[in-house]
Amino acid sequence: MQSVHLVLLMAMAMATATMATTTTLTSLTSLTSCSYYVLFLLCAPCTLVHANTVWPMPAMLDLSLTPIQPLSHQLANTLLSSTVSVSPSFQFYTEGPTNEYVQAAARRALKIITHTQSSRHTHVLKRASEGELASCSVRIQDASTELTQQTSEQYTLDVDAQTLSCSIVGETYVGAVHALESFVQLVDTYTMTISATSIKDKPRYAFRALLVDTSRHFYPVETLLTNLDAMAMTKMNIMHWHIVDSNSFPYVSSTFPEMSKQGAWAPHHVYSHEDVATVIEYAKARGIRVMVEFDTPGHVDAGYAAIPGILTQCYDKTTGQPDGTTGPLDPTNESTYDFLEKLYTEIKAVFPDKYVHVGGDEVPFGCWESNPSIAKWMAAHPNVTDAAKLEQYYELRLLDILKRLGFSYMCWQEIFDNGVQILPDTIVNVWKGGSDDTALKKELQAVTGAGYRAVLSAPWYLDYISYGEDWKKYYLVEPDNLCDNCELFGVEACMWSEYVDATNFISRSWPRTGTLAERAWSPKNVKDVDAASPRLNELRCKMILRGIRAEPIHPSFCLTEWPGDAEAETVRASIRRAGLDMRAESYR
Amino acid sequence: MQSVHLVLLMAMAMATATMATTTTLTSLTSLTSCSYYVLFLLCAPCTLVHANTVWPMPAMLDLSLTPIQPLSHQLANTLLSSTVSVSPSFQFYTEGPTNEYVQAAARRALKIITHTQSSRHTHVLKRASEGELASCSVRIQDASTELTQQTSEQYTLDVDAQTLSCSIVGETYVGAVHALESFVQLVDTYTMTISATSIKDKPRYAFRALLVDTSRHFYPVETLLTNLDAMAMTKMNIMHWHIVDSNSFPYVSSTFPEMSKQGAWAPHHVYSHEDVATVIEYAKARGIRVMVEFDTPGHVDAGYAAIPGILTQCYDKTTGQPDGTTGPLDPTNESTYDFLEKLYTEIKAVFPDKYVHVGGDEVPFGCWESNPSIAKWMAAHPNVTDAAKLEQYYELRLLDILKRLGFSYMCWQEIFDNGVQILPDTIVNVWKGGSDDTALKKELQAVTGAGYRAVLSAPWYLDYISYGEDWKKYYLVEPDNLCDNCELFGVEACMWSEYVDATNFISRSWPRTGTLAERAWSPKNVKDVDAASPRLNELRCKMILRGIRAEPIHPSFCLTEWPGDAEAETVRASIRRAGLDMRAESYR
């Protein structure tokens, strides 16, 4: 085995960042006087990881004297071939308005470069060429730290090989965060070079989500943060947090503490308000919104059972007696709505996003239909003629509460299908019909035809694993082909957790979720699965360099393989610490 | 969240063990004067993990006044219900002959108990009942440290609730290692009690293997050791190390160093002789033999390409010119056999096991058939009429070398199918025909009918993942139903690594491989999948307590969930260190 030469031990000067114009954010400071840093690899059969690609593929390449044109990957491979050496004292600096998230992101970006660079195992040194990139300016047009559905994610990134200059411009901090991620991905940390490039980038869809289910299994906060790292790498912008379900209720409600006490898998497998705040702030610093889901009136059991009277008692039809089980929330009980108002008032305070996901899927009608007091109530309400109408009644009451509380909402498609009157800015989550294109087309046309925004989940149920390179299947779904004469608002991958917990959530989700991320971000013409294959492999190797346990997509290797659990955790912690704002307690 | 009470901080007295009779191996020493140690759990909806079961289910329960009878799990659940408190100063001690492996295993066993006990999160204390188990004697009948196919694995384990006594008797050190594992699994470390029991145990099959493929992806040694921990927990006894293949050649040969230099994925992704010795010794200490496979004449490319002349040049049939690719080893070139003799001479020195796996599967005949010099050679050898006969010729030459070197061997079924004359003690690895019971029956009958030992792999290709509780499928395969009027020698699970590396190897393999482990060890009547389900879940929770990243099998929880990567690594290291012999450098 080759001995390990770690010649370029770099330390990061954690410059105390201020908000002033032209602030040095971070710098690569060589601890040695070594000026040799172009590195060769003694690698025999290796297909080397090439860094001159970004996942997801950027939208546009702005060539100086030609019009802006869509970037295809073939073009990218040609145009990005000119490389610039990155100086050992490379630094990011801000120009104009800035904010704490931009500064934290720049510190993390530099940390990633220094870390991954020093984690090389095998190399020899050559003298660097003359020209070096000494710095990159980071400018944002709007220094607001607000993050909403409307926040612009556009950015430009220019690395000029002739002038040895680099500039990043984001409309908002989120654009700058994305640009810094692209910058880091463009750096080949084995040779410490960056591809000369000119990127003008923005997402194809404004809504690019991953559903995370913490009810079927409990995930520690650490696991959620690592997943956010991977989402940020792939420019996804929504963590759809399916926080509770029938199986367990890990959310600690201050209003109804009995819900998690009785409904969590175990007393210590819960999310406190502080845990939730950590996740939200960590996500926000990376341009990711956390949209929480409290799924009702079905998918309730654990937790809700602690609140007297709100669950429907199911009856045995033969004996006419309670069968000992409970079903959905009881929509005929006024205390149900008192409960919901209090719960959502708390949710509004704990989860700052404008949007909440109200669930509404798979309501089992049988239990409602079996219950004599519900039958009696329905007899007194002649408009409520069947269970579907009863569900409609429930949703109307719930959505009225949400409207009063100032929420916008997302819902599973059943609420729309069932004809409930929903707010105009509602997002309808189309999840049924997996590979049934006809059904999907019909649903999407109906949803968008009625003026609502549609988010498509059905093709990306990533928990349905299968043998082989199943990522190709997910990559090849073209949303436009499922939306005739209609426009999708976004796409969402789902990692339901029946068979997933902290042991396998990250490896099973990544890099597979990257397929959806590129479909959601990149232009429609970025769809060549053969071209995507080495790029996706490279993405997963970059994830490993950052301590994210992404699994292989085919027989291959990463020059730096999974480094062992403890080392990976150290790497992640080190990158996170780099992003910590000196004035803030929480992760950035 | 409940605050964490870690009241019983236990330290392990790492008594310097000697080989004398009645040696105190290890003891649980309380650091406090606390005598409260029966623990309650403040766990609301929890289905608690019950420790009074062992996976795989032991063979026999010896009831004092009744004849020995097969143990069904229903019976076990009844009979094992009487529990005994384990003293805080509990210790193992040897009686009669002993050896370093027994002592190391006892130290590890105690370490596991102390670790898992102190990793509880939530409990209150109650005064202990009067009777406590203070110690357990460990006796072996044969103190040899040899490990072969013939080594007895039998043991007895008696925990008597009346006399508060415990004794372990193994015929060999391996029996004692297995008994200590059963003991540890019987301890409920949340209440520090052990089920009173009387076990007389031995395996159903003498050969219980897991194939580990380090060619499609490279695994660090650490990953191999963790996998051995899991194999030892489930009493598996063969690591079939598919160390090289077409994709990469990570074995560093001292005779042919160019093979890994040119054939490894990367220069640092290799196994040195020292690495191999570490794996073998770690396995041996746990009763596991390492059987290495160098698959020829097919499945060669990486590595073998470094040896001039031994790979067949493939020809384009149309042009009659070399097509630039290579195929199997060239059986008509005498230098091939010179090479094989040298390589296997080295293998004999590096891999001490009597058995080597020679591969022999999936030889692509087309390349041989295309090569004009092979055609010429065949014309000069009238007995070699076709490619199948050529393969036969190759295998005869190879097996002759192995015979002279003193190897016994295992081979993929093709060598037998092809009518090669193999040694009487050959083990034939039946892998073809997955779910085709008719084909499997025919093959197994042919192999055993010809007097060879058959090991069945076909139903347990665990790399073929699918959604849901696929473990049931693997658990339900009954080998006897595939072997009409014949007797299997063993069973083997395969985790081919096309889509597996250090990121997901452990989670994808465990607890799923446990299904094969129980099928291989336990009596045929232990087959109730519903009864197995909570036991398998318990096994995976016990794995997590030991730092082994076993994935969930259904929506559920472990009271101690995956603790985070770094902590898990610390736990594993701590258990391993406990097993280190003071006089030895290597892991035990």
Side-chain angles (χ1 to χ4, degrees):
Chain A
M1 195 192 287
Q2 299 293 328
S3 60
V4 177
H5 306 271
L6 294 179
V7 201
L8 279 183
L9 263 175
M10 300 267 181
M12 201 198 62
M14 281 272 282
T16 307
T18 68
M19 297 292 165
T21 302
T22 315
T23 305
T24 295
L25 291 175
T26 42
S27 66
L28 281 170
T29 308
S30 175
L31 286 181
T32 72
S33 59
C34 173
S35 65
Y36 302 90
Y37 63 91
V38 178
L39 309 166
F40 259 73
L41 291 156
L42 290 173
C43 200
C46 316
T47 42
L48 284 180
V49 170
H50 297 292
N52 61 350
T53 179
V54 178
W55 189 290
M57 187 64 78
M60 304 277 192
L61 189 71
D62 186 357
L63 297 169
S64 51
L65 296 174
T66 58
I68 290 172
Q69 51 182 265
L71 174 67
S72 76
H73 40 83
Q74 291 87 350
L75 189 60
N77 287 339
T78 313
L79 292 169
L80 300 181
S81 61
S82 165
T83 59
V84 183
S85 293
V86 178
S87 166
S89 59
F90 174 83
Q91 61 188 24
F92 292 109
Y93 63 93
T94 54
E95 287 188 326
T98 183
N99 72 26
E100 59 197 300
Y101 293 132
V102 173
Q103 305 210 13
R107 289 196 299 271
R108 287 196 310 270
L110 196 65
K111 189 73 185 178
I112 291 165
I113 294 169
T114 54
H115 161 69
T116 55
Q117 195 243 3
S118 65
S119 71
R120 279 166 290 109
H121 286 257
T122 312
H123 51 258
V124 292
L125 301 178
K126 276 203 165 186
R127 188 173 292 275
S129 57
E130 286 309 300
E132 280 180 358
L133 186 66
S135 64
C136 190
S137 69
V138 182
R139 179 189 289 272
I140 56 175
Q141 287 153 352
D142 173 354
S144 165
T145 57
E146 212 186 26
L147 180 63
T148 72
Q149 188 63 65
Q150 284 73 43
T151 300
S152 162
E153 304 187 81
Q154 289 193 39
Y155 72 89
T156 61
L157 165 61
D158 291 274
V159 179
D160 190 310
Q162 265 67 52
T163 60
L164 294 171
S165 64
C166 170
S167 75
I168 281 170
V169 181
E171 282 193 14
T172 68
Y173 87 85
V174 179
V177 165
H178 289 329
L180 285 159
E181 177 58 42
S182 295
F183 182 94
V184 170
Q185 291 193 23
L186 286 169
V187 174
D188 180 339
T189 53
Y190 293 98
T191 59
M192 275 306 278
T193 56
I194 185 167
S195 303
T197 191
S198 180
I199 290 174
K200 190 175 167 73
D201 207 3
K202 63 175 183 180
R204 180 178 180 192
Y205 295 112
F207 190 107
R208 307 176 306 281
L210 173 61
L211 179 144
V212 177
D213 170 6
T214 53
S215 174
R216 276 63 183 242
H217 286 97
F218 176 78
Y219 303 172
V221 168
E222 162 65 25
T223 303
L224 298 176
L225 302 188
T226 303
N227 183 59
L228 287 166
D229 290 337
M231 290 178 67
M233 275 186 80
T234 53
K235 300 187 174 69
M236 298 183 74
N237 69 345
I238 313 265
M239 170 178 158
H240 173 174
W241 194 351
H242 189 87
I243 193 169
V244 298
D245 204 298
S246 309
N247 305 71
S248 78
F249 193 99
Y251 171 72
V252 179
S253 164
S254 51
T255 319
F256 303 104
E258 282 303 313
M259 294 184 80
S260 60
K261 271 191 191 156
Q262 295 184 28
W265 282 119
H268 51 293
H269 296 165
V270 292
Y271 302 109
S272 66
H273 284 192
E274 193 188 339
D275 292 335
V276 168
T278 297
V279 170
I280 291 172
E281 179 64 7
Y282 193 91
K284 188 179 178 188
R286 286 155 183 77
I288 300 167
R289 291 159 52 214
V290 174
M291 180 185 62
V292 77
E293 175 182 0
F294 284 80
D295 194 355
T296 63
H299 289 271
V300 291
D301 183 10
Y304 295 88
I307 311 297
I310 63 170
L311 288 183
T312 304
Q313 298 295 325
C314 311
Y315 280 67
D316 185 315
K317 280 178 183 168
T318 325
T319 64
Q321 297 300 311
D323 69 4
T325 68
T326 58
L329 295 182
D330 184 346
T332 69
N333 186 344
E334 281 305 308
S335 69
T336 298
Y337 304 105
D338 293 345
F339 160 80
L340 287 170
E341 175 127 19
K342 285 178 188 151
L343 179 66
Y344 273 98
T345 302
E346 177 181 330
I347 293 168
K348 186 74 188 162
V350 174
F351 295 88
D353 203 80
K354 174 86 174 163
Y355 277 81
V356 70
H357 198 300
V358 299
D361 58 320
E362 299 181 312
V363 182
F365 287 163
C367 180
W368 278 348
E369 288 164 350
S370 76
N371 183 297
S373 97
I374 288 182
K376 194 173 161 192
W377 183 94
M378 285 171 72
H381 295 74
N383 290 335
V384 183
T385 48
D386 58 17
K389 286 276 195 303
L390 190 58
E391 185 189 356
Q392 208 180 92
Y393 173 83
Y394 169 84
E395 297 294 353
L396 281 169
R397 294 283 304 265
L398 170 63
L399 300 183
D400 187 54
I401 291 169
L402 297 185
K403 193 175 161 187
R404 276 189 281 115
L405 290 172
F407 272 118
S408 295
Y409 45 80
M410 184 156 168
C411 61
W412 295 111
Q413 69 183 80
E414 283 96 325
I415 290 184
F416 167 80
D417 295 347
N418 201 16
V420 178
Q421 191 189 333
I422 46 184
L423 287 173
D425 67 348
T426 298
I427 300 173
V428 178
N429 207 165
V430 176
W431 70 278
K432 290 167 92 167
S435 56
D436 180 350
D437 286 4
T438 312
L440 286 175
K441 281 180 186 176
K442 197 174 156 195
E443 181 74 14
L444 290 172
Q445 213 157 31
V447 170
T448 55
Y452 299 112
R453 289 179 289 181
V455 165
L456 181 62
S457 301
W460 295 286
Y461 268 43
L462 300 181
D463 54 320
Y464 289 159
I465 54 170
S466 56
Y467 179 74
E469 297 202 48
D470 73 345
W471 69 269
K472 293 181 177 175
K473 176 178 69 182
Y474 300 117
Y475 188 75
L476 285 170
V477 176
E478 172 43 53
D480 273 3
N481 296 346
L482 298 169
C483 210
D484 286 336
N485 304 314
C486 75
E487 202 172 324
L488 275 180
F489 184 61
V491 289
E492 172 173 314
C494 297
M495 183 49 78
W496 299 102
S497 70
E498 278 83 351
Y499 306 102
V500 176
D501 73 357
T503 61
N504 60 353
F505 172 56
I506 298 295
S507 63
R508 194 166 283 191
S509 299
W510 300 100
R512 292 163 78 234
T513 305
T515 58
L516 182 277
E518 181 151 293
R519 189 59 49 244
W521 179 280
S522 304
K524 192 176 164 180
N525 70 343
V526 180
K527 62 179 181 184
D528 182 335
V529 77
D530 294 329
S533 182
R535 293 177 53 243
L536 189 65
N537 189 54
E538 180 185 332
L539 173 71
R540 95 121 182 154
C541 291
K542 287 173 176 165
M543 287 185 164
I544 282 178
L545 282 172
R546 300 192 199 178
I548 301 169
R549 183 185 281 270
E551 69 182 22
I553 58 168
H554 50 56
S556 64
F557 75 109
C558 298
L559 211 46
T560 301
E561 290 282 15
W562 183 248
D565 294 344
E567 192 182 327
E569 191 153 300
T570 306
V571 167
R572 287 198 308 276
S574 158
I575 296 169
R576 281 171 196 168
R577 267 196 310 276
L580 279 178
D581 189 296
M582 295 301 114
R583 297 159 307 134
E585 290 294 304
S586 57
Y587 280 120
R588 283 282 147 67
Chain B
M1 194 192 289
Q2 299 293 329
S3 60
V4 177
H5 305 272
L6 292 179
V7 202
L8 280 182
L9 263 174
M10 299 269 183
M12 201 197 64
M14 282 272 280
T16 307
T18 69
M19 295 294 165
T21 302
T22 316
T23 306
T24 296
L25 293 174
T26 43
S27 67
L28 282 169
T29 308
S30 175
L31 285 181
T32 72
S33 59
C34 172
S35 65
Y36 303 90
Y37 63 90
V38 178
L39 309 165
F40 258 73
L41 292 155
L42 291 172
C43 199
C46 315
T47 41
L48 282 182
V49 170
H50 296 293
N52 61 351
T53 179
V54 177
W55 188 290
M57 187 65 80
M60 304 275 192
L61 190 70
D62 186 357
L63 298 168
S64 52
L65 296 175
T66 58
I68 290 171
Q69 52 180 263
L71 174 67
S72 76
H73 40 82
Q74 291 87 349
L75 188 61
N77 286 339
T78 314
L79 291 169
L80 300 181
S81 60
S82 164
T83 59
V84 183
S85 294
V86 177
S87 166
S89 59
F90 174 82
Q91 61 187 25
F92 293 109
Y93 62 93
T94 52
E95 288 188 326
T98 183
N99 72 27
E100 59 197 301
Y101 293 133
V102 172
Q103 306 209 14
R107 290 195 298 270
R108 288 196 309 270
L110 197 65
K111 188 73 185 177
I112 292 164
I113 295 169
T114 53
H115 161 70
T116 55
Q117 194 243 3
S118 64
S119 71
R120 278 166 291 108
H121 286 256
T122 314
H123 51 256
V124 293
L125 301 179
K126 276 204 165 186
R127 187 174 292 276
S129 58
E130 286 308 301
E132 280 180 357
L133 186 66
S135 65
C136 191
S137 68
V138 182
R139 179 189 289 272
I140 55 174
Q141 287 153 351
D142 172 356
S144 166
T145 56
E146 212 187 25
L147 179 63
T148 72
Q149 188 62 66
Q150 285 73 45
T151 299
S152 162
E153 303 187 83
Q154 289 194 39
Y155 72 89
T156 61
L157 165 60
D158 292 273
V159 179
D160 190 310
Q162 266 66 51
T163 60
L164 294 172
S165 64
C166 170
S167 74
I168 280 170
V169 181
E171 282 194 14
T172 67
Y173 89 85
V174 179
V177 166
H178 289 329
L180 285 159
E181 177 59 41
S182 295
F183 182 94
V184 170
Q185 291 194 23
L186 286 168
V187 173
D188 181 339
T189 52
Y190 292 99
T191 58
M192 275 304 281
T193 56
I194 185 168
S195 303
T197 190
S198 181
I199 289 173
K200 188 175 168 74
D201 207 3
K202 63 175 183 179
R204 181 178 179 195
Y205 295 112
F207 190 108
R208 308 178 304 283
L210 173 61
L211 179 144
V212 177
D213 171 5
T214 55
S215 174
R216 276 64 182 242
H217 286 97
F218 175 78
Y219 304 172
V221 168
E222 163 66 24
T223 303
L224 298 176
L225 302 189
T226 303
N227 182 60
L228 287 166
D229 289 338
M231 289 179 67
M233 276 186 79
T234 53
K235 300 188 174 70
M236 296 182 75
N237 69 345
I238 313 266
M239 169 177 160
H240 173 174
W241 193 351
H242 189 87
I243 194 168
V244 298
D245 205 298
S246 310
N247 306 71
S248 78
F249 193 98
Y251 171 71
V252 179
S253 164
S254 51
T255 318
F256 301 105
E258 282 302 312
M259 294 184 81
S260 61
K261 272 192 190 153
Q262 296 186 27
W265 283 119
H268 50 294
H269 296 166
V270 291
Y271 302 107
S272 66
H273 284 191
E274 193 187 340
D275 292 335
V276 169
T278 298
V279 170
I280 291 173
E281 179 64 9
Y282 193 90
K284 187 179 179 189
R286 287 154 183 77
I288 299 168
R289 290 161 51 216
V290 174
M291 182 185 60
V292 77
E293 174 182 1
F294 284 80
D295 194 355
T296 63
H299 289 271
V300 291
D301 182 9
Y304 294 89
I307 311 296
I310 63 170
L311 289 182
T312 305
Q313 299 294 326
C314 311
Y315 279 67
D316 185 314
K317 281 178 185 170
T318 325
T319 66
Q321 296 301 310
D323 69 3
T325 68
T326 57
L329 294 183
D330 184 346
T332 70
N333 186 342
E334 280 306 306
S335 69
T336 298
Y337 304 104
D338 294 343
F339 161 78
L340 289 169
E341 173 127 21
K342 285 178 189 151
L343 179 65
Y344 273 98
T345 301
E346 177 181 331
I347 293 168
K348 185 73 188 165
V350 175
F351 295 88
D353 204 79
K354 173 83 173 165
Y355 276 82
V356 69
H357 198 301
V358 298
D361 58 320
E362 300 183 312
V363 182
F365 288 162
C367 181
W368 279 348
E369 289 162 350
S370 77
N371 184 297
S373 95
I374 288 182
K376 194 174 159 192
W377 183 94
M378 285 172 71
H381 294 75
N383 290 335
V384 183
T385 49
D386 58 16
K389 285 277 193 307
L390 190 58
E391 185 189 357
Q392 209 181 91
Y393 173 83
Y394 169 83
E395 297 295 353
L396 281 170
R397 294 284 305 264
L398 169 62
L399 300 183
D400 187 54
I401 292 169
L402 297 185
K403 193 175 161 188
R404 275 188 282 118
L405 290 171
F407 273 118
S408 296
Y409 44 81
M410 183 154 167
C411 61
W412 295 111
Q413 71 183 78
E414 282 96 325
I415 290 184
F416 167 79
D417 295 349
N418 202 14
V420 178
Q421 191 189 331
I422 46 184
L423 286 174
D425 67 347
T426 298
I427 301 173
V428 178
N429 206 165
V430 176
W431 70 278
K432 291 168 92 169
S435 57
D436 180 349
D437 287 3
T438 311
L440 286 176
K441 280 180 189 175
K442 196 174 155 196
E443 181 74 16
L444 290 172
Q445 213 157 30
V447 170
T448 55
Y452 299 112
R453 289 178 289 180
V455 165
L456 181 62
S457 301
W460 296 286
Y461 268 44
L462 301 181
D463 54 320
Y464 289 159
I465 53 170
S466 57
Y467 179 74
E469 297 202 48
D470 72 344
W471 70 269
K472 293 181 178 177
K473 175 178 69 181
Y474 300 116
Y475 188 75
L476 284 170
V477 176
E478 171 43 52
D480 273 3
N481 295 346
L482 298 168
C483 211
D484 286 337
N485 303 315
C486 75
E487 201 172 326
L488 276 180
F489 184 62
V491 290
E492 173 173 313
C494 296
M495 181 51 77
W496 299 102
S497 69
E498 278 84 351
Y499 305 102
V500 175
D501 72 358
T503 61
N504 60 353
F505 172 55
I506 298 295
S507 63
R508 192 166 283 189
S509 300
W510 301 99
R512 291 163 79 237
T513 306
T515 57
L516 182 276
E518 181 150 293
R519 188 60 50 245
W521 179 279
S522 305
K524 191 175 166 180
N525 70 342
V526 180
K527 63 179 181 184
D528 182 336
V529 75
D530 294 329
S533 182
R535 294 178 51 244
L536 189 64
N537 189 54
E538 181 185 331
L539 173 71
R540 96 123 181 152
C541 291
K542 286 174 177 164
M543 287 184 166
I544 282 178
L545 282 172
R546 300 192 200 178
I548 301 169
R549 182 185 281 271
E551 70 181 23
I553 57 167
H554 51 57
S556 64
F557 76 109
C558 299
L559 210 46
T560 300
E561 290 281 16
W562 183 248
D565 294 344
E567 192 181 328
E569 192 153 300
T570 307
V571 167
R572 286 199 308 277
S574 159
I575 295 169
R576 281 171 196 169
R577 268 197 308 277
L580 279 179
D581 190 295
M582 296 301 116
R583 297 160 307 133
E585 290 293 303
S586 58
Y587 281 120
R588 282 283 146 67

